[in-house]
Amino acid sequence: MIRLQDPYHDRIHSGGTVKNTVRTQMSQSVNLTPQLLQSIRLLQLTAPQLEMELLQALERNPMLEADEGDEAGETDAEGVDAAGDDAALEAAAWDELPEPAFTSSSSGGMGADDDGMARIAAGSSSDPRVRLLQELAVTWREADLVLAQWWLDRCDDRGYLEHPLDELLAEGADACGCDKREMDVIRLRLLNGPWPGMAAADPGECLQAQLAQLPDTPERALAARILSDYLALLASHDHAALAKALGSTADDTAAAVALVTSLRPCAVEEPVDAPSAYIVPDVVVRFLGGEWRVALNGRSAPRIRISAHCESALAQAPGDQSVLRGLLDEARWLVRGVAMRNDTLMRTAQVLVERQREFLVRGEEAIAPLTLREVADAIGMHESTVSRITTGKYIQTPRGTFELKRLFAVRLEGAEVSGAAVKAMVKRLIDNEPPHAPLADDTIAGMLERQGVRIARRTVAKYRDQLSIGPARARQRPARKAAA
């Protein structure tokens, strides 16, 4: 869209003369139709939210009725495909929207007072990166948000960087077209932002960032010294030696230690709305007849359809029936939108199960590297669509019930395995170590190398910290004496 500005709005006064200027400005906008907004909204709804949405629609729209035809409570792939054929043909390409288009209140298709986030289902995303970006979008510039998103994509679920800082700075500067200093400034803003410690390189940096936001007291100064210089003494719980090293009294040291232990081990905050006491799976996976079979959980939400007798009566009704016809159109949009959501969820779940069959059989150590882009390419949709349909959706498997996002895993740099798999290997080795002779980080790295997984000692230490496991010296226990 080319917008021609009012020439009288830009006047330049120079020497008593008035010079009119004409400027052209290019801007891109996306017109969000009601159908498009509804499709996006339905895509993001969790199972309980969808159930509430459909129950409310049944109450307020007489053109809808509950479909009680499926007694089994599950819908396989063929049923979803048949239900979604018409919806797929008539639906807009909502999966090709850029991610911020429906979350920004300045989108071209909305009024100045129309908040795009109000059209999304209430509740917080289960992905902490999404929640933080939504919070930052209120005050941060769009260009800075792009760099912030890049950093958050390189953080694990606890908010720690998944690779060494120097490597990420070089990679980010190249990927985002800026210098390392600008990338580091954005990371430091995240580190000291509303979630202090986010994008921290290690637990010490995370705790220091949290500590810096507390009131300036003598206890805080001592706590900062403990974090920077005496973590080993803190881990050993030797408060007397810690007080001596700090040159402080026992009471002051105890207060500083209490301040440190009150800090969160990671930066990620839980959603404001507490999760339900139970989880309703959206997808059910079973191993039957020698293969993994995927089905939608029909019991997670009521099935709806257009009321045939109401539609027939409306077609024969005389006079102006614009209100009822509007309700019929709304009902059709909703039925099609739900069919599209179910079709997308089914196809995404099938790809995830197919790619992670070894994980379902063998467990966490067999989880394969898998990205949003790979799944999006497999189902012919945009990455943002896959992100929305897997957020807050749960899959029930013989290995347990968990969020679909757990089936994604970042590839370990320079290897054919995922970081999650290697973390599980590290945990297994530590769980099986002799209590009197715990394994050092470099020993674990050597054992993994003999299994074909080459990682650095610092990577083992990072995974150990993420598992809340102390170093070898903190895990050592005296050997039991043989019974007399």
Side-chain angles (χ1 to χ4, degrees), residues 217-220 222-223 226 239-244 246-260:
T217 61
E219 291 81 7
R220 193 189 82 169
L222 278 178
I226 292 173
H239 291 186
L242 189 58
K244 182 178 180 180
L246 291 170
S248 63
T249 65
D251 290 342
D252 290 343
T253 302
V257 169
L259 188 59
V260 171

Side-chain angles (χ1 to χ4, degrees), residues 384-405:
S384 61
T385 300
V386 178
S387 177
R388 294 179 189 122
I389 200 61
T390 53
T391 299
K393 315 299 189 302
Y394 286 84
I395 182 170
Q396 178 181 312
T397 74
R399 192 158 290 279
T401 300
F402 42 80
E403 194 174 6
L404 282 170
K405 278 191 175 295

Side-chain angles (χ1 to χ4, degrees), residues 72-96:
E74 294 180 5
T75 306
D76 59 14
E78 294 180 1
V80 173
D81 290 342
D85 284 345
D86 293 338
L89 289 174
E90 298 186 18
W94 43 269
D95 58 293
E96 296 298 337

Side-chain angles (χ1 to χ4, degrees), residues 206-344:
C206 175
L207 296 176
Q208 288 281 15
Q210 295 179 48
L211 195 64
Q213 296 199 2
L214 298 178
D216 188 7
T217 61
E219 291 81 7
R220 193 189 82 169
L222 278 178
R225 290 179 59 194
I226 292 173
L227 290 177
S228 61
D229 301 323
Y230 304 111
L231 273 178
L233 289 176
L234 179 66
S236 66
H237 303 288
D238 191 347
H239 291 186
L242 189 58
K244 182 178 180 180
L246 291 170
S248 63
T249 65
D251 290 342
D252 290 343
T253 302
V257 169
L259 188 59
V260 171
T261 55
S262 69
L263 303 174
R264 295 192 307 273
C266 61
V268 172
E269 296 182 349
E270 293 300 321
V272 177
D273 50 332
S276 303
Y278 60 91
I279 292 175
V280 179
D282 300 82
V283 183
V284 178
V285 179
R286 292 189 176 93
F287 189 73
L288 298 172
E291 62 181 9
W292 291 99
R293 298 190 179 182
V294 182
L296 295 183
N297 181 14
R299 296 187 179 92
S300 63
R303 298 182 63 188
I304 60 172
R305 65 186 177 191
I306 304 297
S307 175
H309 70 274
C310 288
E311 187 176 15
S312 176
L314 178 59
Q316 301 173 10
D320 182 13
Q321 301 294 337
S322 58
V323 175
L324 291 178
R325 294 189 187 281
L327 289 174
L328 180 59
D329 288 339
E330 180 182 331
R332 286 172 175 164
W333 294 342
L334 181 60
V335 171
R336 290 168 181 163
V338 172
M340 286 179 60
R341 174 191 184 273
N342 291 343
D343 176 69
T344 305

Side-chain angles (χ1 to χ4, degrees), residues 133-164:
L133 280 175
Q134 290 173 352
E135 188 173 341
L136 297 178
V138 178
T139 56
W140 282 39
R141 296 185 305 124
E142 185 174 352
D144 294 341
L145 285 174
V146 172
L147 301 184
Q149 182 173 357
W150 190 93
W151 278 113
L152 294 178
D153 286 343
R154 272 73 186 170
C155 294
D156 60 25
D157 291 338
R158 302 171 72 233
Y160 289 109
L161 296 178
E162 293 185 318
H163 297 289

